[in-house]
């Protein structure tokens, strides 16, 4: 852990594990939180340079001069190799936004929620990492309740990320989300105490 007043916590987990729920709990404890997925969506929608590059790669996703994310997702599903090209365009811009967010906020703890934290190297921005985890059956039950979700789509989304086991092996901390919300909240508060209240760097 770096010797500085602000601790950057990278929050991750495979789909359906409860990343957003845990992030909101940190927000209630006054930690500035950035959702990298929302940043990526904003880049696709509003960054003209990125939009032009994506339009060249996936012309079928272009609609009235802007990139339609649903059509983009459909195009990528038919061309998996295109996902790497998309990430090469989007990830550097998201990392830039993360750096700006960190610089903008003065707090004891800043949380970056990044689904591909380890896969895309976002963990290099962080002092410590946290993965949220749940039983596979609980994960599948949660994800399958989502609108327009299918078993095939669930498998495809899961295949793009490290497994839950690998994320747990890589992370500095693990929070279980498959018992109850109060239990998850207790774990978040315990980690907050460890990092913010008890840390010699806080």
């Amino acid at each position: 852990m770096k010797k500085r007043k602000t601790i950057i916590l990278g929050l991750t987990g495979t789909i359906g594990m409860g990343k957003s729920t845990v992030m909101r709990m940190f927000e209630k404890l006054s930690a500035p939180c950035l959702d990298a997925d929302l940043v990526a969506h904003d880049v696709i929608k509003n960054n003209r340079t990125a939009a032009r590059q994506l339009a060249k790669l996936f012309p079928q996703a272009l609609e009235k001069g802007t990139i339609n994310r649903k059509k983009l997702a459909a195009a990528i599903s038919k061309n998996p190799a295109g996902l790497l090209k998309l990430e090469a365009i989007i990830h550097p811009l998201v990392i830039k936004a993360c750096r700006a967010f960190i610089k903008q906020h003065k707090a004891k703890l800043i949380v970056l929620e990044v689904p591909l934290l380890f896969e895309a190297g976002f963990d290099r921005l962080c002092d410590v990492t946290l993965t949220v985890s749940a039983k596979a059956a609980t994960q599948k039950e949660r994800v399958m309740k989502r609108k327009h979700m299918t078993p095939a789509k669930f498998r495809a989304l899961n295949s793009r990320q490290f497994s839950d086991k690998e994320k747990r092996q890589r992370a500095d901390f693990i929070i279980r989300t498959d018992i109850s919300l109060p239990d998850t909240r207790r774990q978040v508060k315990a980690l907050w105490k460890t990092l913010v209240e008890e840390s010699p760097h806080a």
Side-chain angles (χ1 to χ4, degrees), residues 7-25:
I7 296 172
I8 310 303
L9 173 66
L11 167 62
T12 194
T14 54
I15 183 173
M17 290 301 189
K19 295 183 294 298
S20 297
T21 297
V22 169
M23 184 184 74
R24 287 192 293 270
M25 290 178 180

Side-chain angles (χ1 to χ4, degrees), residues 18 31 54 57 81 83 105 126 132-133 135 200:
L54 291 173
L57 284 173
L83 179 63
H105 290 85
C126 307
V132 293
S133 181
K135 294 178 181 177

Side-chain angles (χ1 to χ4, degrees), residues 130-143:
L130 161 68
T131 191
V132 293
S133 181
K135 294 178 181 177
T138 301
Q139 176 199 24
K140 186 174 182 179
E141 180 182 358
R142 289 172 179 170
V143 176

Side-chain angles (χ1 to χ4, degrees), residues 49-146:
T49 301
R52 283 197 298 270
Q53 292 175 313
L54 291 173
K56 289 180 180 179
L57 284 173
F58 307 101
Q60 63 271 50
L62 195 62
E63 184 178 84
K64 296 180 181 179
T66 60
I67 297 295
N68 181 301
R69 287 198 297 110
K70 289 184 178 179
K71 291 185 177 180
L72 179 62
I76 291 172
S77 68
K78 297 175 183 177
N79 177 22
L83 179 63
L84 295 176
K85 295 179 180 179
L86 179 144
E87 291 176 345
I89 295 169
I90 301 300
H91 285 173
L93 296 171
V94 177
I95 288 175
K96 183 178 179 181
C98 288
R99 293 186 187 279
F101 185 84
I102 292 168
K103 188 175 181 180
Q104 176 186 355
H105 290 85
K106 291 184 179 180
K108 292 182 178 180
L109 181 72
I110 293 175
V111 178
L112 304 178
E113 184 200 336
V114 188
L116 299 179
L117 184 77
F118 300 116
E119 296 90 332
F122 281 78
D123 56 312
R124 292 193 293 269
L125 298 175
C126 307
D127 299 304
V128 290
T129 57
L130 161 68
T131 191
V132 293
S133 181
K135 294 178 181 177
T138 301
Q139 176 199 24
K140 186 174 182 179
E141 180 182 358
R142 289 172 179 170
V143 176
M144 292 309 299
K145 289 179 180 178
R146 298 184 182 184

Side-chain angles (χ1 to χ4, degrees), residues 178-201:
D178 50 5
I179 300 176
S180 67
L181 275 176
D183 180 74
T184 300
R185 194 174 293 110
R186 178 191 61 76
Q187 293 177 76
V188 169
K189 288 181 177 179
L191 182 55
W192 172 272
K193 184 176 181 180
T194 296
L195 295 177
V196 174
E197 298 177 10
E198 298 177 354
S199 170
H201 308 292

